[in-house]
Amino acid sequence: MIDLSAMRSVRVDPGARSAYVGPGAIWGDVDHETQAHALATTGGLVSTTGVAGFTLGGGIGWLMRKHGLACDNLVGADVVTADGALVHASESENARPVLGTAGRGRQTSGSSPSSSSACTRSVRSCTPA
């Protein structure tokens, strides 16, 4: 196990309605930063839940009925593969690794050091709160 708790960065791009989330971030970190811009995304029900594990496991949250699961809002991820390579994965770039990491019943041989998502939770997608 690798402790990533020191890497709890969250950066919000309000214009793009995106959040760039570090690998050690918890939902309280994401909520704090997105709410400052009147944005939100499907996140954990408990603020101390880790963003990466929650998202990669699917992610059931308060906004899921309207905006889908956390994994549905994952726009991209920087993935460290089993052989140590750093790969950025998104729908348009190295799509297979990101689809394999995002809670859709597939297994992956890597970990996600940072992610980004569209905010509606590096990108997560966000919507106005």
Side-chain angles (χ1 to χ4, degrees):
M1 176 184 286
I2 300 171
D3 180 4
L4 301 174
S5 62
M7 302 172 76
R8 289 176 56 175
S9 64
V10 177
R11 181 175 53 86
V12 176
D13 180 346
R17 293 186 358 200
S18 297
Y20 299 84
V21 182
I26 59 174
W27 279 110
D29 301 329
V30 174
D31 290 341
H32 180 266
E33 295 301 319
T34 57
Q35 289 173 9
H37 301 283
L39 296 171
T41 189
T42 302
L45 303 176
V46 178
S47 64
T48 57
T49 302
V51 175
F54 177 84
T55 303
L56 297 179
I60 297 173
W62 297 114
L63 300 176
M64 73 176 192
R65 289 184 187 211
K66 185 171 184 180
H67 300 289
L69 299 171
C71 65
D72 296 329
N73 289 288
L74 181 66
V75 177
D78 294 318
V79 178
V80 178
T81 64
D83 63 359
L86 179 61
V87 177
H88 180 75
S90 66
E91 190 173 309
S92 62
E93 183 180 2
N94 299 307
R96 185 178 164 121
V98 79
L99 294 177
T101 60
R104 294 191 172 92
R106 296 180 181 96
Q107 292 182 340
T108 181
S109 59
S111 63
S112 178
S114 66
S115 64
S116 58
S117 76
C119 294
T120 330
R121 150 197 113 57
S122 114
V123 175
R124 298 198 57 78
S125 174
C126 300
T127 59

